[in-house]
Amino acid sequence: MEKFNAKFVSQKISKSRWRPVPSASLLLPDLFATGSWDNEENKVSVWSIGDFGSLNADGDYEGDHQLLCDIKHNGDVLDMQFLDQERIVTASSSGSVTIFRHHQNNQTLSINQRWERAHYHSGPDIPSCGSAPCTGIVCNNPEIVSVGEDGRINLFKADSKKILRTIDNADSSTLHAVTFLRTTEIMTVNSIGQLKMWDFRQQGNEPSQIFFLTGERVPLYCVDRHPNQQHVVATGGQDGMLSIWDVRQGSMPVSLLEAHDAEMWEVHFHPSNPDHLFTCSENGSLWHWNASSDMAEKPSFLQLGGRNTTLSRSTLGQSNINQSLMSAWLSSDPAKGRMEITSLLPNQTLSVNSLDILGQCLVCGTDAEAIHVTRQLFA
């Protein structure tokens, strides 16, 4: 099992994100940010992983992730994204969207820009000041998109105090998460099992496409787009199922994979090796899904849905980086193909709320007031 370093931080961690590494750089990820929730005072914090990940003579891991700086956050941090190397955008339960700037010369955080009440409930029976939680954000510098419990979609530009575009009543239910599909297109998921595509080139308030789960309207909580094949989208929700969608065809998912036995809070394709996918859940689990064809023979055992299933462990080959995944994620039944799932954390009882991966590095935050980090993801 991958070696994780756990640090207890005396606050429930709702979000964890790596600072992006410049695309032309060979540098390893060295900083990450976290947001907290359900604490007396919530914070945005920036951490350095320092020497963690290096081995001493005994083969043990040295170092620890160190707090560089933090700042008070108004409300729970419900989502967080790096806009660039210095700026962090947060979504708040107070309905606001805030850009924080990390000053690396003196290791401080300051508020760079804030849109108060970007999300709010309105109606004859609701006071005009009734804010609604901002549940999700996504960044494509300089643009930021937010979604909320009010069913509203906002488009911001980082250096503009005005909201560029608002789609009021975009959804009659809560929008839980958002991701960019292309430069002008986004995907949202909602609390009645729908995945919707929106095109900002269109002036209306209607989605360009609607996809949905059949049967019960199970809330969807997370969404991510394949980094190389933009038509491939993964979602997770209240029932813990992993759904894979091909937005070019049909209105239903192409694959439904039994996953966690509780809510799935986040799903992420590996940004440079997208035949690997990662999910985390309310039940305290953190899973690595491997759909690559390069599988080693070494077996491992993982408890899946009350059954002991034999799974093979994988090694990551460079040949996978540009590998087409058409046969993997878009298979009519990937479970019958070469699919391997590895549990990355020892059994926990409290929720793993968030995860992020970059290169060989993974960070996750939990309700157990712990941050787990590894720099040996594919070792």
Side-chain angles (χ1 to χ4, degrees):
M1 181 174 289
E2 289 78 358
K3 291 259 188 169
F4 275 80
N5 179 290
K7 188 178 186 73
F8 293 91
V9 294
S10 300
Q11 52 183 337
K12 293 181 180 179
I13 301 298
S14 56
K15 294 294 163 182
S16 54
R17 299 287 182 253
W18 289 110
R19 182 180 71 172
V21 174
S23 55
S25 169
L26 296 177
L27 295 173
L28 295 173
D30 59 347
L31 290 183
F32 65 88
T34 60
S36 68
W37 81 295
D38 197 27
N39 303 290
E40 286 188 14
E41 181 177 282
N42 292 302
K43 295 178 180 179
V44 171
S45 307
V46 176
W47 307 79
S48 168
I49 56 175
D51 293 329
F52 170 66
S54 59
L55 296 173
N56 62 22
D58 297 325
D60 295 324
Y61 284 80
E62 294 181 323
D64 195 2
H65 28 294
Q66 300 294 331
L67 178 65
L68 296 179
C69 51
D70 57 25
I71 189 171
K72 182 180 177 181
H73 186 269
N74 181 25
D76 294 337
V77 178
L78 297 186
D79 204 0
M80 167 187 284
Q81 295 283 327
F82 272 89
L83 183 66
D84 53 26
Q85 294 285 108
E86 296 182 347
R87 291 179 293 179
I88 304 164
V89 186
T90 63
S92 173
S93 59
S94 70
S96 65
V97 175
T98 306
I99 302 177
F100 294 91
R101 184 177 292 276
H102 176 215
H103 304 275
Q104 298 180 53
N105 56 341
N106 60 1
Q107 294 303 341
T108 58
L109 281 163
S110 65
I111 294 176
N112 177 246
Q113 170 82 308
R114 175 177 284 164
W115 293 274
E116 297 280 2
R117 291 186 68 247
H119 292 272
Y120 55 91
H121 292 294
S122 57
D125 300 322
I126 303 171
S128 59
C129 60
S131 63
C134 176
T135 52
I137 50 171
V138 65
C139 302
N140 185 20
N141 193 9
E143 293 183 332
I144 303 164
V145 177
S146 72
V147 297
E149 195 177 279
D150 54 356
R152 186 175 277 108
I153 299 172
N154 291 314
L155 174 65
F156 311 88
K157 201 165 186 177
D159 298 319
S160 172
K161 292 184 179 180
K162 292 183 178 180
I163 299 178
L164 292 186
R165 171 99 184 265
T166 295
I167 303 178
D168 282 313
N169 303 312
D171 212 297
S172 59
S173 60
T174 296
L175 291 170
H176 285 296
V178 58
T179 191
F180 272 104
L181 193 64
R182 299 175 186 85
T183 308
T184 60
E185 291 178 312
I186 60 169
M187 303 292 296
T188 61
V189 292
N190 68 14
S191 60
I192 56 172
Q194 293 176 327
L195 175 68
K196 296 184 181 182
M197 183 189 302
W198 306 82
D199 189 338
F200 285 125
R201 294 170 297 185
Q202 299 178 2
Q203 292 305 307
N205 283 5
E206 298 298 320
S208 53
Q209 278 184 270
I210 300 177
F211 309 86
F212 52 87
L213 296 171
T214 57
E216 295 183 18
R217 292 184 169 185
V218 177
L220 292 174
Y221 293 141
C222 54
V223 58
D224 195 30
R225 184 210 75 195
H226 191 289
N228 302 335
Q229 297 175 357
Q230 296 171 326
H231 55 277
V232 179
V233 174
T235 63
Q238 188 179 64
D239 60 1
M241 296 282 284
L242 173 63
S243 302
I244 305 295
W245 311 71
D246 183 346
V247 300
R248 300 171 305 177
Q249 57 187 18
S251 59
M252 295 179 289
V254 294
S255 299
L256 284 171
L257 302 173
E258 288 190 25
H260 307 277
D261 58 10
E263 294 90 339
M264 183 188 297
W265 293 129
E266 288 194 6
V267 56
H268 294 286
F269 288 101
H270 192 287
S272 56
N273 298 283
D275 44 358
H276 297 261
L277 180 144
F278 298 82
T279 59
C280 62
S281 173
E282 175 71 23
N283 67 5
S285 58
L286 173 68
W287 283 9
H288 171 192
W289 301 70
N290 182 1
S292 73
S293 60
D294 183 22
M295 300 261 229
E297 295 300 319
K298 183 179 178 182
S300 65
F301 296 89
L302 175 66
Q303 187 86 4
L304 288 180
R307 303 184 304 275
N308 280 322
T309 305
T310 304
L311 301 165
S312 62
R313 294 205 52 187
S314 75
T315 57
L316 184 71
Q318 288 298 313
S319 61
N320 291 333
I321 291 178
N322 297 314
Q323 179 183 327
S324 170
L325 302 182
M326 296 302 289
S327 60
W329 296 118
L330 295 186
S331 162
S332 61
D333 189 359
K336 291 181 180 177
R338 299 175 65 102
M339 179 70 69
E340 175 247 343
I341 308 167
T342 306
S343 179
L344 297 181
L345 290 179
N347 291 337
Q348 298 195 132
T349 55
L350 295 178
S351 177
V352 178
N353 297 317
S354 180
L355 72 97
D356 197 26
I357 56 266
L358 189 58
Q360 292 266 12
C361 301
L362 184 148
V363 59
C364 69
T366 75
D367 272 356
E369 303 187 345
I371 301 168
H372 299 265
V373 176
T374 182
R375 292 180 73 177
Q376 309 286 329
L377 194 54
F378 300 112

